[in-house]
Amino acid sequence: SFLGMLMPTAQFTGAGLLVQWQSASNRNYRLERSTNLIAGFTDMLAGSIPATPPMNVYTDATAVLNGPYSYRVLTSP
């Protein structure tokens, strides 16, 4: 299988920052965030997010102001 990211898009809503990625059936995903890539991905936002093909959407309610925010999506067991 292939996990690919589309061109990053950030959309702030009243509930937080929307993070979107393409998903495949029968998968679970883990979403991590970093505000400092030198320190690495230190914030695990969610684990075992079920796939909702063709696109998964997650609202990062902890994102405030303009970041910077970097996200990493991994497949989860």
Side-chain angles (χ1 to χ4, degrees):
S1 69
F2 168 76
L3 173 62
M5 300 293 283
L6 297 175
M7 178 64 74
T9 58
Q11 180 181 357
F12 277 101
T13 68
L17 178 67
L18 294 180
V19 181
Q20 301 179 67
W21 65 94
Q22 289 180 308
S23 64
S25 299
N26 302 317
R27 300 276 190 267
N28 287 308
Y29 298 98
R30 183 172 75 220
L31 182 63
E32 299 176 349
R33 183 185 72 192
S34 175
T35 56
N36 178 351
L37 289 175
I38 293 172
F41 288 88
T42 56
D43 301 323
M44 186 174 92
L45 298 177
S48 296
I49 303 168
T52 57
M55 188 73 63
N56 269 52
V57 178
Y58 180 86
T59 302
D60 180 359
T62 62
V64 293
L65 302 175
N66 292 324
Y69 299 110
S70 297
Y71 292 90
R72 175 168 67 178
V73 177
L74 303 134
T75 55
S76 178

